[in-house]
């Protein structure tokens, strides 16, 4: 079935290093790809999103890249800080018309160590 | 600026009991959703609504019912709770599928 795969499931980096999380999707018609950050005990929060008419989008230390041909997109966090430690979810709108839904990946637990 | 408010935050049910989870949003969003989150399985869509008076099934709808009588409220019901429904439940709202979702802070439900 249509799904979103996310890797890695856990990621540990030292403070100041970069972190990269990758996702692949199955539906070539997908055109909206958001990323969410979930801190412990809280609901997910949108941190950045990209639409299929652009290949890259940046917001300060975070960036998302999209390769529609290969059907994958990635989250890049530079100069990581302890407050970046959280679970990150990618998502993609799969399906068309009234059957379209936002489907989430299974999450990546990022740990930024001092 | 409350955003999405979920009540209750925690609940313990006995098998077979029923309950209703409440979700309210103050952003005038048309779309509302209920997800469950289980370890290692991400967020799975239970039911959703694209407007007042409408509901539709998501990925894992069995054992749940929903109602959207008012635009700002989306209720999730469990008629006969089962241990498999032990999970964290999140409500979310948005202007549409292709817009950012605003999530509530979650309800941790344990069925014993």
């Amino acid at each position: 079935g249509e799904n979103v795969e996310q890797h890695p499931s856990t990621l540990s980096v030292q403070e100041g290093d970069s972190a990269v999380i990758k996702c692949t999707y199955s539906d070539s018609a997908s055109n909206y790809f958001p990323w969410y950050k979930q801190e412990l005990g809280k609901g997910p929060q949108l941190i950045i999103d990209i639409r299929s008419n652009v290949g890259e989008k940046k917001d300060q230390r975070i960036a998302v890249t999209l390769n529609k041909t290969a059907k994958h997109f990635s989250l890049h966090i530079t100069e990581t800080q302890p407050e970046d430690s959280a679970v990150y979810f990618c998502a993609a709108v799969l399906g068309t018309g009234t059957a379209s839904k936002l489907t989430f990946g299974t999450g990546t637990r990022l740990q930024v160590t001092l | 600026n409350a955003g999405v408010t979920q009540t209750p935050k925690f609940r313990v049910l006995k098998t077979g009991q029923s309950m209703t989870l409440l979700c309210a949003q103050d952003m005038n969003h048309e779309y509302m959703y209920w997800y469950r989150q289980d370890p290692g399985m991400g967020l799975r869509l239970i039911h959703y609504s694209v407007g007042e008076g409408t509901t539709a099934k998501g990925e894992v709808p069995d054992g749940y019912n929903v109602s959207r009588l008012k635009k700002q409220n989306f209720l999730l019901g469990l008629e006969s709770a089962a241990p498999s429904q032990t999970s964290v439940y999140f409500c979310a709202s948005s202007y549409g599928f292709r817009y950012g979702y605003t999530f509530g802070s979650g309800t941790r439900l344990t069925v014993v």
Side-chain angles (χ1 to χ4, degrees):
Chain A
E2 298 173 337
N3 62 355
V4 177
E5 294 189 359
Q6 183 172 348
H7 299 281
S9 57
T10 59
L11 179 59
S12 182
V13 299
Q14 284 197 318
E15 183 179 7
D17 287 350
S18 295
V20 181
I21 302 170
K22 299 181 178 180
C23 290
T24 60
Y25 58 96
S26 55
D27 185 355
S28 59
S30 295
N31 57 13
Y32 177 62
F33 308 91
W35 286 88
Y36 288 81
K37 175 184 180 182
Q38 186 177 25
E39 297 176 338
L40 193 63
K42 297 183 179 181
Q45 183 177 15
L46 179 71
I47 55 172
I48 195 168
D49 57 10
I50 191 168
R51 299 182 188 276
S52 60
N53 57 336
V54 296
E56 182 175 2
K57 184 177 179 180
K58 292 185 71 174
D59 183 3
Q60 298 183 343
R61 295 187 297 108
I62 61 173
V64 56
T65 59
L66 172 64
N67 184 328
K68 284 218 74 181
T69 302
K71 292 190 285 186
H72 66 71
F73 56 112
S74 301
L75 179 72
H76 305 255
I77 306 174
T78 59
E79 301 173 21
T80 53
Q81 301 169 4
E83 52 265 38
D84 294 329
S85 296
V87 179
Y88 292 81
F89 291 96
C90 65
V93 175
L94 305 181
T96 57
T98 57
S100 59
K101 305 287 185 299
L102 187 66
T103 300
F104 287 84
T106 51
T108 296
R109 183 174 299 278
L110 174 64
Q111 181 71 43
V112 180
T113 58
L114 298 175
Chain B
N1 55 344
V4 176
T5 302
Q6 290 184 234
T7 53
K9 296 189 181 303
F10 302 94
R11 184 72 186 269
V12 178
L13 283 180
K14 294 182 178 179
T15 297
Q17 287 185 320
S18 63
M19 77 163 294
T20 300
L21 280 66
L22 309 179
C23 178
Q25 53 97 1
D26 61 0
M27 296 166 287
N28 203 33
H29 285 164
E30 286 292 338
Y31 288 43
M32 296 187 73
Y33 319 85
W34 277 105
Y35 285 88
R36 61 177 288 172
Q37 185 173 37
D38 302 293
M41 302 190 74
L43 293 152
R44 293 185 292 169
L45 183 63
I46 304 171
H47 286 282
Y48 65 99
S49 168
V50 299
E52 181 179 315
T54 74
T55 63
K57 295 180 180 179
E59 182 185 358
V60 288
D62 294 343
Y64 306 94
N65 57 75
V66 288
S67 65
R68 183 104 181 263
L69 299 179
K70 292 183 178 181
K71 184 177 183 179
Q72 63 267 36
N73 298 332
F74 196 30
L75 280 59
L76 178 71
L78 286 72
E79 292 184 345
S80 179
S84 61
Q85 294 177 303
T86 294
S87 187
V88 180
Y89 292 84
F90 287 100
C91 176
S93 69
S94 73
Y95 289 114
F97 291 129
R98 293 172 176 78
Y99 296 88
Y101 288 17
T102 300
F103 281 85
S105 57
T107 296
R108 183 172 295 276
L109 175 66
T110 302
V111 182
V112 298

